[in-house]
Amino acid sequence: MQQQNRWVRPLLFVLGIVVISIIFMFIANFIAQARGASTFDTTKWMPFLLVGAVIAYGLGVAFGDPALWSVETRQVVYAAVGAALYGVFSWATNIFLVPSVSLVTVRPAIVIPVFFGFVYGPSVGFLTGFVGNALGDALTGWGVFPVWDFGNGLIGLIPGLVLAFRNRTRASDIALGLVAVVAILASVWLLVGSDVVSPLSGATVDKWVALTLIGGLLIIAGLRYGLRNRPEIASAQVWGGLAVFLGIGFASMADIWWNGYNFTTAFVGEFVPAAGTDLLNVAILLPILLTAWNAAQARTGR
Amino acid sequence: MIATWSYKERDSFIQRLDPRTRLVGVVLLSLAAVFLWDVRLLLIPFVVAVCQLGLAKLTWRELRRFWIFAGALFFFLTALTLLTGRGGVGVITTEHVFWRGQFGPLVVEMSEARLVFALSQLVRIFTMAALAVVLPFTINPAVYGVAFRRLGLPDSISFALDLAVRFVPTLARDFSLTLEAQRARGYELERAGGIIKAIRHTAPLIIPITIGAILKSEDVIDAMNLHAFGSKQRTWSQELRYQFRDYAVLALCLVIFVGSLTIAISGHGGLWVP
């Protein structure tokens, strides 16, 4: 098949997403009307749909290369090894290393999906996180939590996107630029504009969200320029941090819909303990693991 | 320390079912529960989940960890939701507050709607958790690969799943070997100070096992390439065949799923306040 232009390739995909979203909105509108709720308004969702389509197109342009996502023999074996490692380490820490009161545990093992994603690509990372989390829970005897399996999959997938860029420094720069744009736009919107109503909870979004975003931006900038001489570690930290933030964020926010928690519960009860400890684990263990891997690679010549 | 799968042979109706039936059934019933908030309707998937638990013949010992950990967490998160406001998205439409209290900065309001919501929430969460917890106990780890392949996943992904399950016992053995080797060198896992020190303390375990596993997997890759993995469609030695009972169970799950979806779309599955 002829190699398609990277700018054209995602168009059909984005069009499909938009059509499906519009169909879903009509169904949702229908349900809302049947329930007698008048709050559901299609025009209010249109801007979100448009922004979503633009983001999807951007993602398609940046990461749509089929080679990035291919699953060949190497990827199959690395995904299997990663998943088994993640499963065994989570099980070991669940059982006897670092006992914790809740299901959200201090798990040093979180470094495994981030590392496998960062080194072997998004497919390997996703399978490592998704399957590994399910294996760990199954070994421990905790049941199956699909939303959290998927969130862990994202933690592996996102660092793998780094491979789409020319080099590690550029990957850090892109992450820095993206977060900067989001943080600045959101801050201007939150601090200068009128009250923003979240479509998710219906509550007014607090102004401190802007401060958190700017704080994140400063951390990423610090890593990018502070670790200038170690570009690989800098980009691993930046993308690993983003991955934990988005992956755990996805899982805990999806629980609002899935389990019916409110935002406070999802945030205080799930997001903060899980993302906090995971970020710490990744920040400490990922550089050590990467350094050891580079040394091992140099030694074996593979 | 040996990693053991929680699966074992039990002569039960549940384990005579096809693994695909089990997986699809659990997904359908979980989705049926997600669509509903009316506690009376939620009792239908809940009863099916309890029946599955009963038919699976699991003992209290096997499920102890699940009930204690997961149960405590679900009660905690449900209580937190109850005390900090309305849960879910647009589930509670009207409420009549009959009690209001203030604890420091936290204002706690109580209404019938919120109490019923908390009850429905617990039933929903326990339905989904109880449906899924049975799976690892009753599906042979050796059939995950072929089951997902026959459910339509590509060969490569199914094989990765199969391999992952096979690697677990070996890696768990590597884990205990490494732990003992490091202990012989004076490594003390248990004596960790603060959280940062505790995390750093896991590095002497995690790093050698991970790097060792990656280096060993090069041999597996070579072996698979020499056997021309991925050059054409694989065959799987195990065969899965649906029996009459599989069709019956699938039909039941499908009826509940479609029923729940219809009720949700017609707008009758919302919160029921007596």
Side-chain angles (χ1 to χ4, degrees):
Chain A
M1 206 174 76
Q2 202 194 337
Q3 187 76 29
Q4 278 175 308
N5 184 315
R6 67 185 301 193
W7 301 98
V8 180
R9 197 171 42 213
L11 279 177
L12 199 65
F13 170 71
V14 172
L15 201 68
I17 289 187
V18 170
V19 169
I20 290 172
S21 312
I22 289 178
I23 293 172
F24 268 107
M25 281 198 333
F26 271 107
I27 294 175
N29 217 357
F30 189 68
I31 296 175
Q33 276 172 358
R35 280 190 182 165
S38 56
T39 46
F40 200 90
D41 190 359
T42 319
T43 50
K44 229 164 64 184
W45 283 83
M46 265 310 169
F48 287 99
L49 187 69
L50 281 177
V51 172
V54 171
I55 292 175
Y57 178 72
L59 289 175
V61 170
F63 308 116
D65 185 5
L68 184 67
W69 301 89
S70 72
V71 182
E72 309 279 324
T73 315
R74 297 191 80 75
Q75 283 78 14
V76 167
V77 175
Y78 286 133
V81 169
L85 278 171
Y86 188 32
V88 166
F89 286 145
S90 330
W91 160 73
T93 43
N94 286 346
I95 295 288
F96 81 112
L97 285 184
V98 196
S100 149
V101 223
S102 75
L103 269 183
V104 173
T105 48
V106 178
R107 45 163 80 159
I110 193 71
V111 70
I112 299 292
V114 177
F115 171 79
F116 273 79
F118 186 72
V119 174
Y120 300 114
S123 320
V124 173
F126 182 81
L127 285 171
T128 299
F130 189 98
V131 179
N133 194 53
L135 286 179
D137 283 351
L139 283 169
T140 319
W142 271 353
V144 183
F145 300 93
V147 170
W148 284 86
D149 293 337
F150 194 83
N152 274 281
L154 287 182
I155 295 182
L157 184 146
I158 292 167
L161 299 178
V162 168
L163 295 190
F165 304 116
R166 264 203 315 279
N167 60 44
R168 307 292 200 190
T169 315
R170 193 171 158 75
S172 298
D173 286 343
I174 298 268
L176 186 62
L178 276 178
V179 176
V181 168
V182 172
I184 290 168
L185 282 181
S187 311
V188 169
W189 192 18
L190 284 169
L191 298 175
V192 180
S194 53
D195 284 349
V196 180
V197 177
S198 155
L200 204 66
S201 58
T204 315
V205 178
D206 269 334
K207 307 273 187 203
W208 56 259
V209 172
L211 284 180
T212 321
L213 284 169
I214 291 179
L217 180 64
L218 290 180
I219 293 175
I220 294 181
L223 284 168
R224 160 71 180 83
Y225 293 103
L227 289 170
R228 212 184 295 102
N229 303 325
R230 306 284 305 275
E232 185 176 38
I233 300 221
S235 76
Q237 296 282 29
V238 167
W239 284 82
L242 276 181
V244 168
F245 202 78
L246 295 175
I248 302 282
F250 166 82
S252 45
M253 293 307 126
D255 264 357
I256 294 181
W257 178 74
W258 191 257
N259 282 350
Y261 301 141
N262 56 19
F263 181 77
T264 318
T265 304
F267 189 74
V268 178
E270 296 191 324
F271 181 77
V272 171
T277 53
D278 282 354
L279 279 176
L280 212 54
N281 279 308
V282 170
I284 295 173
L285 292 174
L286 191 56
I288 309 181
L289 194 52
L290 271 174
T291 313
W293 181 72
N294 283 331
Q297 243 198 343
R299 202 175 59 225
T300 56
R302 293 208 245 206
Chain B
M1 193 175 63
I2 295 168
T4 44
W5 296 108
S6 24
Y7 170 81
K8 65 177 185 202
E9 288 289 338
R10 296 177 191 82
D11 186 27
S12 66
F13 173 74
I14 292 291
Q15 271 168 246
R16 280 192 289 272
L17 289 172
D18 189 293
R20 292 170 295 176
T21 310
R22 311 282 324 286
L23 293 165
V24 173
V26 165
V27 169
L28 286 177
L29 289 173
S30 302
L31 286 177
V34 166
F35 292 140
L36 298 174
W37 275 103
D38 187 328
V39 72
R40 296 165 301 178
L41 294 169
L42 277 170
L43 284 178
I44 299 170
F46 182 71
V47 166
V48 179
V50 172
C51 287
Q52 187 194 212
L53 213 54
L55 285 172
K57 295 188 186 167
L58 299 175
T59 60
W60 159 252
R61 256 190 91 72
E62 287 171 301
L63 286 177
R64 191 180 49 187
R65 195 172 275 131
F66 167 71
W67 288 121
I68 294 174
F69 279 88
L73 181 74
F74 294 152
F75 271 107
F76 170 71
L77 291 175
T78 305
L80 194 62
T81 304
L82 179 66
L83 294 179
T84 53
R86 296 176 174 192
V89 184
V91 178
I92 300 179
T93 43
T94 50
E95 60 175 341
H96 170 69
V97 176
F98 63 75
W99 184 82
R100 189 189 303 262
Q102 181 136 18
F103 302 93
L106 185 71
V107 181
V108 177
E109 288 181 339
M110 278 300 148
S111 65
E112 285 96 350
R114 287 192 193 186
L115 290 173
V116 177
F117 179 86
L119 178 69
S120 320
Q121 199 183 356
L122 272 182
V123 173
R124 261 167 66 110
I125 296 175
F126 272 102
T127 304
M128 290 188 271
L131 278 170
V133 73
V134 181
L135 295 177
F137 288 95
T138 53
I139 296 184
N140 189 342
V143 306
Y144 281 122
V146 63
F148 279 101
R149 175 70 190 94
R150 296 291 169 248
L151 281 174
L153 242 58
D155 265 333
S156 50
I157 311 268
S158 315
F159 195 76
L161 214 61
D162 204 51
L163 263 185
V165 171
R166 280 161 207 275
F167 279 142
V168 164
T170 325
L171 287 174
R173 195 204 53 196
D174 284 357
F175 184 87
S176 20
L177 278 181
T178 313
L179 181 61
E180 292 185 355
Q182 300 285 39
R183 273 190 178 143
R185 296 183 174 95
Y187 168 74
E188 281 179 77
L189 185 69
E190 292 80 5
R191 211 185 54 191
I195 182 164
I196 292 180
K197 211 172 157 212
I199 294 170
R200 281 183 66 98
H201 230 73
T202 57
L205 275 180
I206 291 188
I207 310 298
I209 300 169
T210 307
I211 302 293
I214 290 174
L215 294 182
K216 270 184 235 162
S217 62
E218 295 287 344
D219 294 337
V220 180
I221 294 169
D222 287 347
M224 281 167 66
N225 278 335
L226 287 171
H227 287 82
F229 178 82
S231 58
K232 57 179 179 183
Q233 283 246 312
R234 287 179 60 80
T235 52
W236 293 72
S237 58
Q238 294 139 307
E239 273 206 33
L240 298 177
R241 269 210 190 95
Y242 287 120
Q243 309 284 333
F244 172 72
R245 53 174 173 260
D246 294 302
Y247 291 116
V249 170
L250 279 177
L252 175 73
C253 298
L254 202 63
V255 166
I256 295 178
F257 169 76
V258 172
S260 154
L261 189 64
T262 322
I263 290 171
I265 288 181
S266 66
H268 292 93
L271 196 66
W272 168 73
V273 184

